Each structure stands twice: as structure tokens, then as C-alpha cells.
Amino acid sequence: MRILTVVGARPQFIKAAALSRAISAMGNVIQEQILHTGQHYDAAMSDQFFSELGIPAPAFHLGIGGGSHGANTGRMLEGIEQVLLEQRPDALLVYGDTDSTLAGGLAASKLKIPVVHVEAGLRSFNRHQPEEQNRVLIDHLADLCFAPTDSAVAHLRREGIADERIVRSGDVMADAARLFGEEAEQRANELMTSAGLQVMAGGNQPFVLATIHRAENTDDPVRLEAILKALAAVAIKGVDGHDPYSVLLPLHPRTKARIDSFELEHLLEPLTLTPPLGFMAMVLLERKASLVVTDSGGVQKEAFLQGTPCVTVRTETEWVELLECGWNLLADPSDTLGILKAMHQQLAIDIKQPRPQLYGDGYAAKEIMANLMQL
Ligand code: UDP
């Protein structure tokens, strides 16, 4: 069986790594070719994931990035269609909710090539969010929807997607956490030294790990300032009587650009900044941190998988089960005091309590492979 996997953005490289491992473990039964749209293109956001996680080099690279959603999606659609016409794979596989996901699904569907969507059924119910628009559309295009959670399955059913198109596979991010978490622990010193973060490696100094990159936060100066003010306050004064925490912020290129243009650089002074980190270093820091503060979908979940409480600076999340069990708490991104209150609350969580198995057993890729073979 020949599949074409379309990726373009950082979280998709990580998911593809988990699946590519399962594919190669099965020998030559499935031949996978990777198409990289170019949505994330620089070394820190793209290349380092391919080399570090052993993802097969892309057979096709469209080099499309930097434009508007519409322009990018249109150009990707055309480029992917061309590759599909030449290669005629048995299926096209896409992950998550980016413009690359939608363009891949649409191109294949028009050519009657079966579409497989991994991480299907998630909903934030915020119809203005670009990711939500992509999610809803791709699930309706897909012939096979691999849903990570029970709530994802329920969303798909509620939207009228037939049961035979839905598989509750578990979450490939749980596979990634399992596959790369232990390796990261073993390579802790090397990983932290190369990121210039020796102090964090031992986990003996309390620190907060933060990531901010979502457009609704970075492109809104009020929100971006409120979030950075909360992080700076924790780094200078601590939270409610606790000593200050080191706050580590790996800076997404978009966030860095907006901080510069809104002239918010002074708020970064108390923080420890790094360029975007490799996945292994990231997993290790998620594991060692006292708290994660993020607006990332993937990082919320990884914090839980690594046993670290989280504050999500968004008004809604697709990963509702994390709110229900208390490991994650939403905080209004425009309210500095509210964010600090949420951080205080999450820092008080008993991290020794057992965690429910919300995202499967870490073998979602195996389940996905088995179902792919039936296509
Ligand atoms: N990530 C990483 N290095 C970083 C920041 C994030 O490897 O400096 C990883 C993170 O561990 C997660 C993924 O990137 O697996 C999340 O990507 P992102 O936050 O860009 O997207 P989202 O999950 O919100 O779609």
C-alpha cells in the first residue's frame, strides 16, 4: 500500500514521527512518502524535527509559506494535486488542523483518493479560529477519521459523520510522549547543555515553561501584553508569596515578530528566552517544570502526559477532558491577574495523584496502521 502524508507545521512533524516509526516497524507493507508544504520552513521549526526524530526526508517540498491563509491554501491545493496526479497513492494522510491539512484533504478528495485524518473530531466551538475551520472541513472530507478521545468521537457523530468512517484510535501524541519521553530523560544532560539550559536539567530549581504562539494571542497587543506581564510578574515576584520562578520561554518566530512590533521587549527581560527547542528538549522540560503555561494544543496535552499541571491562556480548548480532571485550567489571555490566579491554583495541584488514561495507551499508531490496511 502506498500513502502520501502531507505535513507542513511543527506539531505535524511530531505526529508523523510517531506514525513513521510504526510504519517502518511493519516492514514494507506500507510505503510512505512525505510531502512538506513548507508552512513551517526554517531550521528551528522544521529541519531539526526531521533529523532528531528520524522522520523520512520529504520526497516533495512545495516551499509554500509566509502568505495569507487563502493564498497559502490555494497554492498548496494546486501543488498537492500535481503530486497526487503523478504519484496516484492509495491514500492521503493528514494530521490536525492547519492549512496544509485542509489543502491535502481537498486535493485528494477531488481526485477520489481516500483521505485519512489523524486527530479528528476535535472542536473548540470557536468558528472564527482558523484551526477550527480547518478541523470541521477536513473531518467531513475524510474517508477515515481517527479520533483521539471519546469527546472527539461524539463530536463527529453529532455532525452526522457515519460510524464506519470513525475510529477511536487514541492519540498519536501519547505515542510520541512514550517513544521520546524516556529517550529524552536518558539524554537529559546533553539536551540541556546544547540548549544552554543546564540549571533546568536537574529539575532542582522550580521553573515555569511557557509557550505562546496562537494568532489570537500574538496578534492582539492587549492579550500579548497581559500574558507577558503575568510571566514577568512570576519571574520577578513569584505567585502569592512563593519565591520567584525562573520562566523559560522558547520563542516562536511569530511571537518574536509581534513582541518587536508592539514594542513589548522590556517584558521579556526577567524571562529566560530560547529559540524554538527540539522536541526531546521540550518533552524533558515539560517533565521537569513545576508548571506549564501555554496556548498550544499539543503542549497542554504533553504537560499532562508528563505529569505537570498546566494553565492554558485561551478562552476555550479542544482538550476538555484535561479541564474536567483539573490538570489544565483556562485563563483569560487579556487578564494578567486572572492568569496569575490560575497559575497559583495549578501550582497547588498534587502531582503524585494518579492520572487517568485519557489519550489511549501510547499505541495509537498501531491501531491506525491496522485500519489503514483495510482501506
Ligand atoms: N514544541 C517543540 N519546541 C518548542 C515548542 C513546541 O518541539 O520550542 C512542540 C511541542 O512539544 C508540541 C508541538 O511542538 O509537540 C506543539 O506545536 P505548536 O504549539 O506549534 O502547535 P499546536 O499544538 O498548538 O497545534
Side-chain angles (χ1 to χ4, degrees):
M1 176 181 204
R2 292 170 58 240
I3 62 169
L4 183 77
T5 298
V6 172
V7 292
R10 176 169 66 185
Q12 293 166 337
F13 308 144
I14 295 160
K15 289 160 200 161
L19 223 72
S20 293
R21 285 220 176 174
I23 290 173
S24 50
M26 284 172 69
N28 271 340
V29 190
I30 293 182
Q31 284 134 37
E32 181 189 34
Q33 285 190 309
I34 292 188
L35 182 154
H36 188 329
T37 60
Q39 199 177 338
H40 282 164
Y41 47 87
D42 64 17
M45 293 296 286
S46 172
D47 302 358
Q48 70 169 329
F49 293 93
F50 282 82
S51 49
E52 181 180 45
L53 306 181
I55 309 166
F60 311 97
H61 203 303
L62 302 184
I64 298 168
S68 66
H69 285 296
N72 281 349
T73 310
R75 291 171 64 207
M76 286 175 194
L77 184 59
E78 200 175 346
I80 296 167
E81 183 181 63
Q82 201 55 45
V83 174
L84 288 172
L85 286 169
E86 284 159 17
Q87 299 295 320
R88 285 276 161 194
D90 299 308
L92 172 132
L93 190 147
V94 284
Y95 297 96
D97 54 24
T98 68
D99 294 340
S100 306
T101 313
L102 177 60
L106 199 49
S109 167
K110 301 251 180 216
L111 295 173
K112 301 190 175 53
I113 293 171
V115 176
V116 176
H117 183 213
V118 174
E119 211 178 51
L122 299 180
R123 297 291 179 265
S124 67
F125 299 103
N126 175 357
R127 297 185 63 240
H128 299 297
Q129 192 188 36
E131 292 90 343
E132 182 77 353
Q133 296 156 352
N134 291 337
R135 281 179 203 126
V136 172
L137 293 168
I138 185 66
D139 285 338
H140 286 262
L141 288 169
D143 296 272
L144 260 184
C145 290
F146 287 106
T149 59
D150 292 335
S151 63
V153 171
H155 295 149
L156 294 170
R157 287 197 176 132
R158 201 172 308 138
E159 290 175 19
I161 293 177
D163 275 350
E164 55 270 25
R165 285 166 53 203
I166 305 172
V167 178
R168 192 209 187 287
S169 56
D171 194 328
V172 285
M173 290 305 285
D175 294 34
R178 176 182 61 78
L179 284 168
F180 302 114
E182 271 173 27
E183 199 175 325
E185 189 82 58
Q186 282 155 14
R187 292 177 46 205
N189 286 338
E190 170 209 335
L191 287 167
M192 291 301 98
T193 306
S194 60
L197 296 168
Q198 290 86 336
V199 187
M200 312 274 179
N204 50 7
Q205 181 189 326
F207 71 94
V208 172
L209 174 67
T211 76
I212 304 297
H213 78 291
R214 211 154 279 285
E216 65 253 30
N217 286 337
T218 57
D219 297 1
D220 178 337
V222 173
R223 286 184 168 197
L224 190 55
E225 183 173 11
I227 296 166
L228 292 176
K229 271 188 173 162
L231 296 177
V234 173
I236 296 169
K237 293 190 286 200
V239 203
D240 280 355
H242 192 289
D243 285 345
Y245 285 85
S246 297
V247 177
L248 175 64
L249 179 68
L251 258 183
H252 192 284
R254 171 166 54 207
T255 315
K256 187 173 181 323
R258 298 299 183 274
I259 290 172
D260 291 348
S261 63
F262 299 144
E263 299 183 358
L264 297 172
E265 298 93 332
H266 58 285
L267 293 172
L268 296 179
E269 273 162 31
L271 314 183
T272 305
L273 303 180
T274 69
L277 294 165
F279 184 61
M280 298 267 191
M282 190 66 191
V283 166
L284 188 65
L285 289 161
E286 288 164 348
R287 195 176 267 220
K288 303 280 184 196
S290 309
L291 178 71
V292 166
V293 177
T294 190
D295 61 6
S296 157
V299 175
Q300 290 170 51
K301 235 175 350 170
E302 285 164 5
F304 168 78
L305 292 167
Q306 303 301 337
T308 303
C310 181
V311 170
T312 296
V313 278
R314 281 176 57 187
T315 48
E316 77 282 308
T317 176
E318 311 77 60
W319 304 104
V320 285
E321 52 289 320
L322 292 176
L323 304 178
E324 284 154 14
C325 68
W327 282 84
N328 190 15
L329 187 63
L330 295 178
D332 178 347
S334 56
D335 175 8
T336 302
L337 282 180
I339 299 171
L340 285 167
K341 221 172 125 197
M343 289 171 82
H344 178 64
Q345 185 173 326
Q346 291 306 81
L347 280 162
I349 279 188
D350 172 14
I351 57 166
K352 298 215 168 64
Q353 64 178 299
R355 278 168 285 140
Q357 201 182 69
L358 300 174
Y359 300 110
D361 56 4
Y363 291 88
K366 229 172 137 185
E367 181 70 19
I368 292 171
M369 288 301 117
N371 282 277
L372 266 187
M373 302 294 295
Q374 314 291 321
L375 261 182

